[in-house]
Amino acid sequence: MSAPQSHWTNRSFPEAAKELLADSQIRRNVRHATDVIQAKRNRVVGELPDWEALREAGSAIRAHALEHLDEYLVEFERNCTRAGGTVHWARDAAEANRIILGLIQRHQAKEVIKIKTMTSEEIGLNRHLEANGVRPHETDLAELIVQLGHDKPSHFVVPALHKNRQQVREIFQREMHLPELGDKPEDLCAAARAYLREKYLRIKVAVSGANFLVAENGAVCIVESEGNGRMCLTLPDVLISLVGIEKVLPRFRDLEVVLQTLPRSATGERMNPYNSIWTGVHEGDGPKEFHVVLLDNGRSPILADGEARQTLKCIRCAACLNACPVYHQTGGHAYESAYPGPIGAILTPQLHSMEQGRTLPYASSLCGACYEVCPVKINIPEVLIHLRGKVVEQDQKTLGGKLGVWNVGMQAAAFVMSSAQRFTLAQHMGQLAQKIFVSKSGFIERLPFMLSGWTQTRDLKALPQQSFRDWWAERESNGGDATGAAKESRDAK
Amino acid sequence: MPSESDARLAILGSIRNALRVPAERNDAARAAEYAAIPRDYKRSGTRQGEALLELFTHRLQEYDAGVQRAPSGKIADAIGGLLAERGRHRIAIPDEVPRTWLPPGYPFEEAAGLDSMQLDKLDGVLTGCTVAIAETGSIVLQNAAAQGRRALSLVPDYHLCVVFASQVVETVPECFARLDATANLPTTFFSGPSATADIEMTRIKGVHGPRYLDVLLVVD
Ligand code: SF4
């Protein structure tokens, strides 16, 4: 297999994070958005008494699908083809870009409409199309904001959550030539509706991703909110769906699990406004031509690692981003990848055979919040530690690596962090011991001994008196609502 | 294209290699493994009759949809009342909408012959549904009688949907049990009017799909 490719730069997490930590506007926007989603998520998850059973089932279904991935992909291909679809296989980003461009050119299209898809971001499809004279129009409101702002997405479910409405308004005023546009969310939304509606009715080729593929009947499922997805899936003549090979489910009824856990985890809704499920081509309803491009791009080798394989169970709900204290601080761009947050920290380096995103497995405090919320029970902290081991192993092969500050510091850290118990203990000890090193500003500027490697590259925020882990445990026992304590005290008055 | 079939073989080979599977895989063993997946989640609900309809109504209202009730003998009257109240006149209808639903005096337009541009100019659409889920306030449409193709419930700005009490189930798994037989039809789940929370997490109604949704619940 050829090397997977990506168009994201290759800065390290600490380098990128440092810059973003300085941008307090981004941090405020990120914190506001993640707080809102988390509170909603906790409420609607809390009302399902069978939530744990749904997680268990979702995890088992996804694990089973991965263990038989070759069989289910072949079954999907057979059924999709029988229903009138065409299935293509792409080993890497270049191959997927070539296939998609070829299909678009075959229809002499100069423009395409697009539904938010992370795989497209992963392979840099928009850049490739633009370089070849095809103009892609993002139709998801947030993706439109990102595209018109010449920006990059920072979250999978709400890609523009780092922008507030004044910033969105400036972008729309400039790019849509609407100098009078107001800054109420309704105004901005209406501007996007008018800007895009004409495109839906005119442009004949659409590009999408997919949330799930169903082997049993060749169905494709897309979950969305705005209806832009439905527009792209039903109005054009040609639809091209770019989908990672890991997205397949064995049977149609498996959707009954993930269509409960995904919306509640992703947007905190009992069900998102729209789910579309279709099989191939249906005469008189929707596109006349339907293509699925199955993308590997570094996924299949991940299956070989029994411990890390669970990474591919991910259904991209972004709950782990919203729950992550590191993501809260830095936002998504620091991860320098289409896949930010805790899942990105384990997925990105693996997609690139540990040659890119090497610092990402360290972009975590291992507090375990990501695992707690994950609807398919991916044990992200466990995989992080496993991957840290791999980075260290690779580094030790070179003398520079052996002496590198990351390596020495990480070996010490790996020992501590390789067991959850040890880590909790170390945190508690740290809270006591750090008093000696904390400067007046509340930052730890120098650490003694083995850990000094860490503070050479960045300031470390002093450990709070209550660790995130303790706070989390307390919060869970208080009924799992992030705002529970505050509400209770209000109600008591 | 030869290069594409090369890619197919390479990817499948790489997966098999990574999973260390034998050349011949065992279908029976796979089926047994699949059957052993734990499914201890709630399959069927506990509510019936009025309690079920109340939950459904409540959920729809939370999404800002209008909900009204009528007995099966009064569907046309109820639809006429709703259209008058909303000031919607030119309404598209899919094939096989029962004539008994249609109040006199409205220029209902057969949707089969209309393209998207024409649909865009109408005031709304009237459809039935396949099944509805009380717990999530969702309605499922398929390309079937009285529901029509997917664009119908998408392009017009107003959707009036007729749901019979017998079509309402409590849980998502009960809904999938009903859909099993027609799983290959184009299917749309909708839960309230279209919405986004992309700007500062404020929920805004009606980005691209219909901004207004009324549900007529038929109960005898
Ligand atoms: S790892 Fe889990 S929580 Fe994170 S996006 Fe994937 S499914 Fe969601």
Side-chain angles (χ1 to χ4, degrees), chain B residues 2 6 13 16 28 33 37 44 51 80 104 110 147 155-156 162 184 188 213:
Chain B
D6 287 354
R16 288 178 185 137
E33 255 177 60
I37 289 172
S44 44
E110 299 283 348
Q147 299 161 67
V155 179
V162 178
N184 292 348
T188 306
L213 169 67

Side-chain angles (χ1 to χ4, degrees), chain B residues 72 74-80 93-94 96-104 108 126-129 145-146 160-164 167 216 218:
Chain B
S72 51
K74 293 252 189 284
I75 296 178
D77 290 351
I79 289 176
I93 47 167
E96 298 175 69
V97 160
R99 301 293 117 172
T100 52
W101 291 9
L102 306 181
F108 288 100
L126 166 68
T127 72
C129 77
L160 171 47
C161 187
V162 178
V163 180
F164 288 83
Q167 292 176 316
L216 181 65
V218 182

Side-chain angles (χ1 to χ4, degrees), chain A residues 156 265 313-321 343 370 373-378 380:
Chain A
F156 339 143
S265 301
K313 292 194 297 187
C314 177
I315 58 171
R316 308 278 190 265
C317 70
C320 58
L321 277 64
I343 179 62
C370 47
V373 296
C374 178
V376 289
K377 298 186 82 163
I378 300 173
I380 296 178

